[in-house]
């Protein structure tokens, strides 16, 4: 079961795992999943949490300090462009693409 | 068709008219040089973080409220994960568990067709809006031979996805909804509604089943990039599915594309069961609670919607249904109308009369000129002839200070000159002559020039030949106006001519 | 300040140490040597004015997953070999604004995934105390560079202990700030909700100065915060003794015992290595090495002697910390690392037929084994049908751990615990298995799960290697932890490795 799950997971993650690589990764993958599975004990471990862990809401962020919104302005219009390190980098970014042409990023697509 | 029931749900994506993208400060614009509006954030560079645009949230919530959705008191974003070359992070920041707004509705005319609103009593059908959620758009890929070219200008721009329940039954209903939604978002000023440029995109899901049997197996239709294609594509698809089921076949769950050249839908991909988006809450953005300030900014954005406005403009101003439809096509056009009428009233005109005259101008001359110049109704604000200036022209005619013919010349002049109509009239000497002495002089000149016509009119009047008397008098009026250089006010001239003819007849 | 104390021998000193420890992937030797012309024109990208500011003239190392404009940003990965950052991290810019100069990029475990820095695609970093041993990880390069005196401080990132553990291995101070206290903008994300940029420094006072300069809300990171007005002050002690505090002591042996009892008997999904293999290995990995235990007891004595009140505390939820931590960290990592596809930047295979081939090829050949393993785990725990069992359960446990810390910290000012069960370990047979290295994160990862600040500081040397402890405090309570540690340092000066020379004032 786990072997197929590993390959299916590798497909979702776009990791090009060869048969050998998959076989090599499998023991560590299984061992960690086994370790993760031990979390099930927490469901009924009121000693550890004071309450059943299933009654606790999930935490996705440790703290929340209220709403954070950005003012709708373009970096180019900002009066203090130096304060925004992302300002005016388009050409620099394009230069970092492994392949580009006429300002487009190029990728292969053999039909 | 009665044997079968069809179910159509629509997913409409609209580009919000924010200045910057949803999560970075890059310009959100269509048609710029490829990869010019990009930064490390929207290019998915290492180390950067999204920063949520407050205006995207506000605009999205305004649409949700306009569609009668309930705003979620607390919303957040999720990462929707799949790999695609035009999606820089290989996940899309979207909303899954807590859409901006949920459980709304809109009414459309039953069976589709014209606008539902204006005619009171028209049967309507309620379409349930499942949700409105905010997300980021992807870039664009162009296929060129054995390579693809990727442009990330669009990547990260703010999209609102509006999802309906499967409440439409025909292509016409769906088309009507899309047109209505397009007008609504344009009225709200949150989207330009341009389907050709992809600012408003429509995907559909369609299923058919024996009536009373519930939903059938669902087919997704993409590439419906005009409201007409929405109708054609869905009608085609319903027919296709019914024919399939009639023959005892099964509808395959798949995604199909509308091919506008062949007027048919075609298989794009068969639904992959392995599609697993692995949604989880976006850890880089804190949750958002709709506080009082936010809610009031949303409520402030809820302008009167097309339907309501049509209904009000129809009854308040006494316009015909056709006039209402044209006047209310765009919010700017309707604003122009109401501003013109208000100004004409201020200038002393009766409201209904003013409305009628302004509507005639707007649906006639104004529309013609705008069409000629390639302007849409929404661009009316760009004209030099503002609503107030149109009102001035209408009032000048109503007060008899210029003729209808002069009014058209005046309108043409006002289109190109940055000047008040009254000033143009004065500068050109277009004002009608109303001075009794000058009118009388012109009338005497006409009588002197056409003595036989004058005596004939007097004789006909005395003899009770009303028709002949009227014809000859009108002839004299024309001559008198001519004698004034075309400037004598026709009503006054007519009265003066008639007075002279009557006096002469009495003397006979 | 640095130039006046620099001596001619520094370049040779730097080269000699680097040949032995290999802490930098890229370095600007001139900046480090302080021979560069100080002035605003030198680093136009930072608007820096290194003639003023509390850190004027001081070079610092930057972990190679933190962006410095025009410097490499490889994250220790082949996939990003040769990639240079077009922008600087907020933390780096803020340090530059007070006169510090980024002097190079330090080695690390690929994308921060590891405890030894041996998972770097480029080179090994050795421990300055014993070059046969690792420097720890994942911020091993930063820790080694500071320990050897090559820079006075360095930036690291701490996702589950990656600042504190290498600091502990190398005998330097390691501060993991409160989550969000320092902007993450410019930190290449591994596990976004857990990690912070942290400081590795040659003294507690230096860590304090650096942290004070970096912290604060940043519009480019909407999860960053300003400290509340009532947060403990960051003003230096200035030689005064630290105020006596109530310090909760977590008993390491109790934790290990709890682990052994709870985690055993849980059958794994496959049972490949026996049903309890993971549990057995995990509890074994949690046992303190005798030298570490000795160091811990000595630190308790030292703190007591300084007038602090030590009370025993328990954190029963801690035993679930590591699996919950790795579930969350790998889940977030699987999404965070999805952007590395060889399309817009980075390295792509020489030939591919189509986009999928390109993406698979770039990732397949660009990522190392440990990174692939963690991406696989993270992808798996988020798959539909598995989320409840893994990801969601881990996030609930995380809530429990937060509440557990809140409960304990309501009664004490800080919690004292070990940093890592062992001192710097060796390689191969003398090392720890990859699984044991993960399980041994139990003392560090919980502060990340709870978002709390934690400060690791050296307390002595046992068997020729540094040992130390960590203090975990209340959110935004860095000042209090720094006070206690600075007081400790005043009484117990930090030991330095053989050959160390103090070049930095």
């Amino acid at each position: 079961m786990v072997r197929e799950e590993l390959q299916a997971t590798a497909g979702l993650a776009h990791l090009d795992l060869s048969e050998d690589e998959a076989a090599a990764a499998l023991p560590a993958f299984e061992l960690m999943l086994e370790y993760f599975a031990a979390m099930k004990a927490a469901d009924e471990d009121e000693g550890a949490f004071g309450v059943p862990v299933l009654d606790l809401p999930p935490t996705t962020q440790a703290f929340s300090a209220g709403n954070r919104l950005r003012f709708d302005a373009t970096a180019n219009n900002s009066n203090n462009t130096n304060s925004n390190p992302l300002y005016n980098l388009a050409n620099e970014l394009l230069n970092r693409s492994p392949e580009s042409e006429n300002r487009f990023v190029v990728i292969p697509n053999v039909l | 068709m009665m044997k079968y029931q069809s179910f159509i749900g629509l997913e409409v994506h609209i580009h919000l008219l924010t200045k910057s993208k949803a999560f970075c400060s890059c310009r959100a614009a269509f048609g710029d040089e490829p990869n010019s509006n990009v930064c490390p954030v929207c290019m998915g560079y290492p180390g950067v973080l999204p920063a949520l645009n407050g205006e995207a949230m506000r605009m999205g919530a305004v649409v949700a409220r306009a569609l009668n959705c309930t705003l979620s008191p607390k919303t957040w974003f999720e990462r929707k994960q799949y790999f695609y070359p035009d999606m820089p992070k290989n996940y899309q920041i979207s909303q899954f568990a807590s859409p901006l707004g949920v459980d709304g509705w809109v009414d459309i005319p039953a069976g589709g067709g014209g606008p539902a609103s204006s005619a009171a009593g028209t049967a309507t059908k309620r379409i349930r809006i499942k949700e409105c959620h905010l997300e980021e758009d992807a870039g664009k890929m162009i296929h060129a031979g054995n390579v693809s070219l990727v442009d990330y200008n669009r990547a990260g721009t703010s999209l609102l996805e509006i999802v309906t329940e499967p409440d439409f039954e025909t292509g016409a209903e769906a088309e009507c909804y899309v047109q209505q939604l397009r007008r609504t978002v344009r009225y709200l000023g949150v989207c330009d509604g341009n389907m050709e440029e992809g600012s408003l995109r429509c995907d559909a899901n369609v299923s058919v089943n024996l009536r009373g049997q519930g939903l059938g197996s669902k087919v997704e239709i993409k590439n419906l990039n005009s409201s007409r294609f929405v109708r054609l594509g869905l009608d085609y698809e319903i027919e296709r599915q019914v024919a399939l089921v009639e023959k005892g076949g099964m509808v395959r769950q798949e995604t199909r594309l509308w091919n506008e050249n062949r007027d048919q839908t075609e298989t794009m991909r068969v639904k992959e069961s392995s599609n697993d988006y692995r949604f989880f809450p976006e850890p880089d953005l804190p949750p958002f609670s709709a506080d009082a300030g936010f809610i009031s900014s949303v409520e402030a954005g809820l302008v009167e919607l097309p339907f309501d406005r049509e209904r009000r403009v129809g009854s308040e101003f006494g316009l015909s249904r056709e006039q209402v439809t044209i006047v209310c096509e765009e919010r700017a056009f309707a604003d122009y109308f109401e501003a013109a009428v208000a100004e004409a009233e201020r200038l002393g005109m009766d409201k209904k009369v003013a409305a009628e005259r302004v509507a005639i101008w707007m649906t006639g001359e104004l529309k013609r000129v705008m069409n000629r110049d390639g302007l849409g109704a929404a661009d009316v604000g760009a004209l030099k002839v503002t609503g107030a200036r149109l009102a001035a022209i209408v009032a000048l005619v109503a007060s008899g200070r210029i003729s209808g013919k002069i009014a058209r010349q005046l309108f043409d002049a006002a289109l190109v000159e940055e000047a008040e109509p009254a000033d143009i009239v004065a500068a050109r000497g277009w004002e009608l002559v109303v001075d009794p002495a000058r009118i009388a002089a012109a009338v005497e000149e006409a009588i002197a020039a056409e003595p036989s016509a004058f005596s004939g009119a007097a004789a006909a009047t005395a003899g009770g030949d009303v028709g002949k008397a009227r014809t000859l008098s009108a002839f004299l009026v024309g001559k008198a106006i001519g004698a004034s250089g075309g400037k004598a006010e026709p009503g006054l001239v007519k009265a003066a001519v008639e007075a002279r003819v009557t006096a002469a007849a009495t003397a006979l | 300040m640095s130039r006046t104390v620099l001596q001619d021998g520094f370049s040779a000193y730097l080269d000699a140490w680097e040949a032995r420890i290999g802490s930098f992937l890229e370095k600007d030797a001139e900046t480090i040597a302080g021979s560069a012309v100080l002035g605003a024109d030198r680093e136009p990208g930072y608007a820096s004015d290194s003639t003023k500011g509390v850190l004027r003239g001081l070079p610092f190392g930057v972990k190679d997953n933190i962006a410095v404009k025009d410097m490499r940003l490889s994250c220790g990965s082949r996939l990003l070999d040769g990639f240079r950052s077009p922008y600087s991290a907020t933390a780096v810019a803020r340090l530059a604004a007070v006169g510090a100069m980024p002097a190079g990029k330090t080695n690390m475990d690929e994308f921060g995934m590891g405890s030894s820095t041996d998972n770097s695609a480029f080179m090994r970093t050795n421990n300055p105390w014993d070059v046969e041993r690792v420097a720890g990880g994942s911020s091993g390069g930063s820790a080694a560079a500071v320990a050897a005196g090559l820079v006075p401080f360095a930036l690291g990132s701490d996702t589950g202990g990656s600042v504190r553990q290498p600091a502990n291995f190398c005998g330097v101070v390691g501060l993991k700030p409160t989550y969000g206290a320092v902007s993450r903008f410019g930190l290449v994300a591994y596990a976004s909700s857990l990690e912070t940029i942290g400081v590795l420094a040659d003294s507690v006072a230096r860590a304090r100065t650096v942290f004070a300069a970096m912290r604060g809300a940043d519009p480019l990171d909407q999860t960053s915060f300003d400290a509340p007005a009532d947060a403990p002050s960051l003003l230096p002690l200035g030689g005064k003794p630290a105020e006596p505090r109530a310090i909760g002591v977590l008993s390491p042996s109790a934790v290990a015992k709890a682990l052994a009892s709870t985690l055993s008997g849980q059958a794994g999904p496959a049972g490949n290595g026996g049903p309890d293999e993971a549990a057995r290995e995990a509890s074994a990995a949690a046992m303190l090495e005798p030298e570490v235990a000795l160091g811990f007891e000595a630190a308790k004595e030292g703190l007591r002697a300084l007038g602090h009140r030590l009370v025993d505390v328990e954190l029963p939820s801690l035993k679930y910390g590591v699996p919950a931590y790795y579930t969350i960290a790998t889940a977030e990592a699987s999404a965070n690392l999805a952007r590395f596809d060889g399309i817009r930047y980075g390295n792509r295979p020489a030939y591919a037929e189509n986009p999928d081939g390109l993406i698979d090829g770039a990732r397949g050949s660009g990522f190392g084994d440990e990174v692939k393993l963690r991406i696989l785990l993270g992808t798996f725990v988020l798959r539909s049908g598995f989320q409840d069992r893994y990801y969601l359960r881990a996030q609930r446990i995380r809530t429990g751990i937060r509440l557990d810390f809140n409960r304990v910290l309501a009664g004490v000012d800080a919690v004292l615990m070990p940093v890592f069960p062992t001192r710097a370990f060796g390689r191969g047979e003398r090392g720890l298995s990859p699984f044991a290295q993960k399980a041994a994160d139990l003392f560090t990862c919980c502060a990340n799960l709870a978002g709390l600040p934690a400060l690791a500081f050296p307390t002595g040397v046992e068997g020729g290697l540094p040992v130390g402890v960590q203090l975990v405090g209340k959110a935004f309570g860095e000042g209090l932890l720094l006070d206690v540690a600075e007081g400790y340092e005043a009484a117990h000066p930090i030991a330095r490795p053989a050959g160390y020379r103090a070049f930095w004032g």
Side-chain angles (χ1 to χ4, degrees), chain C residues 283-424:
Chain C
S283 52
M287 294 298 294
L288 296 197
E289 200 182 28
E291 291 84 352
V292 173
L294 216 58
F296 191 71
E297 291 307 315
K300 279 160 65 179
E301 277 316 307
L303 288 166
R304 225 176 256 127
L306 288 165
H308 300 296
R309 186 168 60 87
L310 271 57
V311 293
D312 287 335
V313 295
E314 281 180 43
L315 282 160
S317 64
L318 220 62
K319 55 181 173 275
Y320 297 105
V322 184
Y325 164 74
Y326 274 98
T327 301
I328 296 164
T330 58
E332 292 182 5
S334 70
N336 283 330
L337 270 59
R339 68 186 61 198
F340 302 111
D341 57 14
I343 292 178
R344 287 147 288 113
Y345 52 81
N347 301 313
R348 60 163 73 165
Y351 176 77
E353 282 215 331
N354 52 41
D356 277 352
L358 172 69
I359 295 170
D360 285 15
R363 294 166 65 79
S365 60
F367 290 142
D369 290 343
E370 182 64 28
V371 171
K372 284 183 185 170
L373 172 65
R374 295 195 194 189
I375 291 174
L376 288 169
L377 288 167
T379 305
F380 184 82
V381 299
L382 286 174
R383 280 175 57 186
S384 71
F386 297 109
Q387 276 216 10
D388 284 2
R389 207 181 311 170
Y390 297 105
Y391 177 73
L392 211 57
R393 187 179 270 143
Q395 297 287 39
R396 292 187 200 283
I397 289 174
R398 183 178 186 182
T399 307
I401 290 172
R402 270 178 50 217
L403 297 176
D404 211 5
F405 266 109
N406 288 350
R407 178 184 58 76
V408 167
L409 285 167
V412 295
D413 294 310
V415 178
L416 179 76
M417 45 177 132
V419 181
F420 201 77
T422 71
R423 298 162 300 154

Side-chain angles (χ1 to χ4, degrees), chain B residues 90-399:
Chain B
N90 289 315
Y91 60 79
Q92 179 193 33
I93 302 180
S94 182
Q95 295 191 297
F96 180 64
S98 63
L100 260 182
V102 294
D103 298 333
W105 52 265
V106 290
D107 287 336
I108 61 162
S117 57
S118 26
T122 303
T124 59
K125 174 171 179 174
R126 181 150 293 191
I127 304 298
R128 291 169 299 158
I129 306 290
K130 184 166 179 265
E131 64 177 62
C132 297
H133 66 255
L134 193 61
E135 59 190 26
E136 56 179 338
D137 206 349
K140 271 185 190 160
M141 268 214 294
I142 302 166
H143 303 288
N146 58 3
V147 297
S148 292
L149 308 173
V150 199
D151 172 13
Y152 296 98
N153 278 349
R154 202 180 64 181
T157 52
S158 34
L159 273 188
L160 188 76
E161 181 173 336
I162 302 157
V163 185
T164 75
E165 298 288 354
D167 290 348
F168 305 98
E169 284 169 272
T170 65
E173 285 180 354
E175 178 185 34
C176 181
Y177 166 81
V178 170
Q179 287 172 342
Q180 198 171 298
L181 182 61
R182 181 176 175 278
R183 280 180 75 202
T184 299
V185 297
R186 286 177 63 85
Y187 254 66
L188 294 169
V190 301
C191 174
D192 66 20
N194 191 328
M195 293 186 82
E196 261 169 45
E197 290 178 0
S199 309
L200 190 154
R201 308 196 288 261
C202 182
D203 298 330
N205 55 71
V206 187
S207 71
V208 300
N209 209 345
L210 287 169
R211 198 159 281 279
Q213 300 282 297
L215 299 173
S217 70
K218 216 157 69 171
V219 172
E220 277 184 64
I221 317 282
K222 293 192 179 288
N223 205 31
L224 297 169
N225 47 25
S226 82
S227 58
R228 198 170 71 90
F229 294 154
V230 169
R231 173 166 50 82
L232 295 176
L234 295 176
D235 284 344
Y236 174 89
E237 182 59 22
I238 290 165
E239 251 179 72
R240 186 188 74 86
Q241 291 188 18
V242 167
L244 206 60
V245 177
E246 275 286 276
K247 278 189 290 184
M250 289 273 284
V251 175
R252 185 169 58 171
Q253 214 172 52
E254 61 183 347
T255 301
R256 298 174 72 87
L257 277 184
W258 170 247
N259 184 329
E260 60 186 77
N261 299 316
R262 301 167 77 171
D263 278 355
Q264 61 184 37
T265 62
E266 294 165 359
T267 296
M268 179 174 128
R269 59 164 183 261
V270 178
K271 191 90 183 171
E272 299 147 46
S273 53
S274 63
N275 227 358
D276 183 343
Y277 293 126
R278 290 163 286 133
F279 284 99
F280 77 99
E282 167 59 90
D284 290 335
L285 294 168
F288 178 82
S289 298
D291 54 25
F294 180 74
I295 288 168
S296 66
S297 77
V298 170
E299 298 298 328
L302 283 173
V303 301
E304 191 179 22
L305 295 180
F307 268 26
D308 303 327
R309 190 145 192 187
E310 285 182 350
R311 200 172 293 125
R312 179 177 62 77
V313 165
S315 64
E316 183 179 336
F317 297 95
L319 301 188
S320 73
R321 179 157 177 195
E322 289 67 28
Q323 286 176 322
V324 164
T325 304
I326 297 175
V327 163
C328 294
E329 169 63 25
E330 294 284 350
R331 174 156 64 107
F333 213 56
D335 287 348
Y336 184 97
F337 170 78
E338 294 202 47
V341 173
E343 175 65 9
E345 269 191 275
R346 197 185 66 79
L347 294 172
M349 288 184 74
D350 171 72
K351 183 175 180 178
K352 288 263 163 79
V353 173
E356 192 203 347
R357 304 312 301 169
V358 169
I360 288 170
W361 274 99
M362 287 179 68
T363 58
E365 230 9 53
L366 191 68
K367 260 291 196 194
R368 188 185 63 76
V369 166
M370 291 178 74
N371 288 342
R372 181 195 71 196
D373 296 347
L375 297 175
D379 307 318
V380 69
L383 295 180
K384 290 198 172 76
V385 187
T386 59
R389 286 174 177 170
L390 182 65
I393 295 173
V394 166
L396 283 167
V397 177
S399 66

